[in-house]
Amino acid sequence: MRNLSIGSRVALIAVLSTFLTVVVLSATAYNGLIRDFENVLTQRQLLDAESVANRVDQDLQVRIQALGAFAATLTDGNNRLPQDRIEALLGRQPALSDYFRAGLLVFDENSVAIAENIYVPNRIGTAYADRQHFREAYKTREPVISRPIIGRTTGLPLLSFLYPIESDDGDLLGFAGGIINLAESGIIPKQEDVSSDALFKVIDTNHFVQVDTLSGANPMPDLPPPGEDLIIDAALSGQTSGVVSDRSGKKWIYATQHLERVGWMFLRAVPYQQATQPARASFDKFLVASALALLALAAIAWLLARATTRPLEKMSLRIREMATEGFAANRLSINGPPEVRNVARAFNKLMKEREALDIMKDDFVSTVSHELRTPLTSINGSLKLLRSGAAGKLPDKADSMVDVAFRNSEQLQRLISDLLDFNKAMAGQMPIYLETVDPAKAVREACDGNGAMAEHYRIPLKVGNCAKEFVTADPSRLRQILDNFISNAIKFSPFDGSVKIWSESTTDGMVRITVSDEGPGVPESFLPRLFQRFAQADSGSTRAKAGTGLGLAITRELATLMNGEVGYDYHTGARFWVELPATDTIIPQTGDDHEEP
């Protein structure tokens, strides 16, 4: 590199920059594709799990409704039908018997079985009032479907359906019951119902039973112990979807859907490879196109860089001559070809202006730093010590005076910071670090940070509804803007007023954060100078509003540096707002209730 000419270096830098750009874009594109395909596959599993849960729920609902129609025939309006008529009705229910192949039963008001369509030894005359679903039916007088249970007389895994038999006056006359043998009913989807490379499981979350594997020989199969099946462990962790690795290291994308009626969780999982394979195929195509584009860009960059830097190489010889011949103050001699003379004049003028600006900046920073900040820091420290009682307890009047002095010294420090910030912004030296920011979080933190001031002025801060989108901003600079707006709103609010802060999405892809007070607003004659430096409007408020007039000017510069803008309008109070670019990310709902702005 040391022996390369300027033109060669610029060309090489251009080519390397192009290459690195393509590499970064390729990596970003691949990661984005993986995430997109992962999200699509996760959503598909959620939809499939929800579809299976809905099918089961609809099946259960059809059966309970059919049982309800049967229960309505078991009463004459005042009393339960006689035993012989009930038994006759039980024998004439082919459709209902098909729904409840393990048996139809009728219970009296004490939950004692009095009739059945399929004979089971010792079932007639057995009381079931101790069963949880019977207690629930007694309490609610509503149709009930039990959680998976073991039959008291059959020993089989069952679902028990109950429908109250009531008189026209609402008196409980008994229950119509239906029973499903879960091992034979077909109501539970099996692994065979899904694709061979996907997993499907049904879990009873109350009893920790794997419902899809139950059978007559194994009526209540327990779940694998913790750590044996990591997919089931992830499903039971409370996360409805995600990515998990099994014990062999294979990654899976899983999703769950809970059916509250019976306490079942439907779990679907597919290999993570189903997300990476299509992403890889798409990325390969992108990579080929990127490689071709890289070659073309590299060739163009090399040619343009060489053509652009050739005059600079000649000028570099002149500058090297200046250095070797001992010209002082980094000035170029005004001689040679017109192009060289023009460059020399421009260079000399630039150096002169730069020196003047450096002197001005150095004088300003030196004055502020040494003449103001240093003694003010000592004053501030001394006042803090006095307030903390380091010099002993002060008289009340002296303590009040120290408090006033401390607040004013802090205000003076803020004024100095405003001057320095504005100087940096105007000089283009203000550092901005853009990242994805949650506007709701930024608003809450700003309100918390200004809470002491609001309490001092007795002005409540109210947070309204906030936009669901994230914004691209520098968190500290956004906080600086909000602090300025909120502190101004507090100071200019009437004593019985309040300050509201909220955010909302706009139609042009921006998010607007608004700070509103209930004060008289900005005089119309002052609006054209509102965001100019050193501008302050007169106000009828009696509160102190000392300042440099730089606060709003700084907010405008900061917003511009973050690709946003600030503004003002009046609607039952002054409204200052900042708009920032919205990102594509959606904020998860937290369920917090905020006051409408």
Side-chain angles (χ1 to χ4, degrees), residues 444-466:
R444 289 193 300 269
E445 291 178 350
C447 289
D448 292 340
N450 289 275
M453 180 180 181
E455 184 177 354
H456 173 76
Y457 284 109
R458 299 181 181 177
I459 300 296
L461 299 179
K462 299 180 180 179
V463 179
N465 290 334
C466 289

Side-chain angles (χ1 to χ4, degrees), residues 58-108:
Q58 290 171 3
D59 193 337
L60 297 175
Q61 187 63 28
V62 168
R63 294 171 193 254
I64 198 69
Q65 288 177 349
L67 188 62
F70 173 64
T73 66
L74 299 178
T75 174
D76 60 7
N78 295 315
N79 300 293
R80 190 175 64 245
L81 295 180
Q83 184 77 18
D84 56 344
R85 290 189 60 186
I86 291 176
E87 292 176 351
L89 286 173
L90 279 173
R92 298 175 180 174
Q93 304 295 327
L96 196 60
S97 297
D98 190 54
Y99 282 145
F100 301 102
R101 296 184 179 181
L104 284 172
L105 294 93
V106 178
F107 303 88
D108 64 13

Side-chain angles (χ1 to χ4, degrees), residues 179-421:
I179 300 174
I180 293 176
N181 182 353
L182 291 175
E184 300 176 352
S185 67
I187 195 172
I188 305 172
K190 301 295 183 180
Q191 174 68 43
E192 295 78 12
D193 298 333
V194 299
S195 58
S196 59
D197 59 347
L199 292 179
F200 179 78
K201 301 178 186 295
V202 183
I203 301 169
D204 184 338
T205 56
N206 290 325
H207 301 95
F208 290 95
V209 172
Q210 190 166 338
V211 181
D212 59 293
T213 61
L214 56 80
S215 62
N218 189 10
M220 296 293 276
D222 292 331
L223 292 178
E228 183 173 323
D229 192 325
L230 299 181
I231 300 178
I232 292 181
D233 292 346
L236 294 175
S237 68
Q239 295 288 340
T240 58
S241 62
V243 179
V244 63
S245 298
D246 59 20
R247 296 187 66 183
S248 66
K250 184 178 180 180
K251 294 177 68 176
W252 296 79
I253 296 176
Y254 76 91
T256 63
Q257 179 68 30
H258 197 266
L259 183 57
E260 184 63 32
R261 185 194 293 266
V262 289
W264 292 351
M265 176 187 290
F266 297 87
L267 167 64
R268 281 184 60 91
V270 294
Y272 191 79
Q273 189 178 8
Q274 290 190 13
T276 58
Q277 282 181 340
R280 181 70 184 183
S282 299
F283 178 72
D284 288 342
K285 296 179 181 178
F286 173 79
L287 197 59
V288 171
S290 298
L292 296 175
L294 174 61
L295 293 176
L297 289 174
I300 295 173
W302 182 273
L303 294 174
L304 291 178
R306 292 292 299 168
T308 302
T309 57
R310 192 171 294 113
L312 296 179
E313 291 178 0
K314 295 180 179 179
M315 193 66 212
S316 67
L317 295 176
R318 298 290 300 161
I319 296 174
R320 191 178 297 115
E321 291 175 1
M322 176 196 71
T324 56
E325 293 177 7
F327 289 98
N330 293 329
R331 297 295 193 270
L332 292 177
S333 175
I334 310 299
N335 54 31
E339 292 81 7
V340 175
R341 292 200 303 270
N342 291 337
V343 172
R345 291 191 186 98
F347 181 83
N348 292 342
K349 183 178 180 181
L350 178 63
M351 293 305 300
K352 182 178 179 181
E353 292 177 352
R354 181 178 178 180
E355 289 173 358
L357 289 174
D358 286 342
I359 293 173
M360 184 186 302
K361 180 185 68 175
D362 292 341
D363 290 342
F364 175 79
V365 173
S366 177
T367 300
V368 170
S369 300
H370 297 287
E371 300 300 329
L372 294 178
R373 264 193 171 176
T374 302
L376 185 58
T377 300
S378 300
I379 294 171
N380 233 357
S382 300
L383 291 173
K384 284 183 180 179
L385 290 174
L386 288 174
R387 293 180 76 213
S388 65
K393 181 173 178 59
L394 299 175
D396 292 342
K397 191 171 183 179
D399 186 71
S400 176
M401 295 173 67
V402 168
D403 188 66
V404 170
F406 178 74
R407 288 202 305 270
N408 280 277
S409 68
E410 284 192 319
Q411 182 180 11
L412 185 55
Q413 280 191 323
R414 286 194 294 270
L415 298 182
I416 293 173
S417 296
D418 283 349
L419 289 170
L420 292 172
D421 284 346

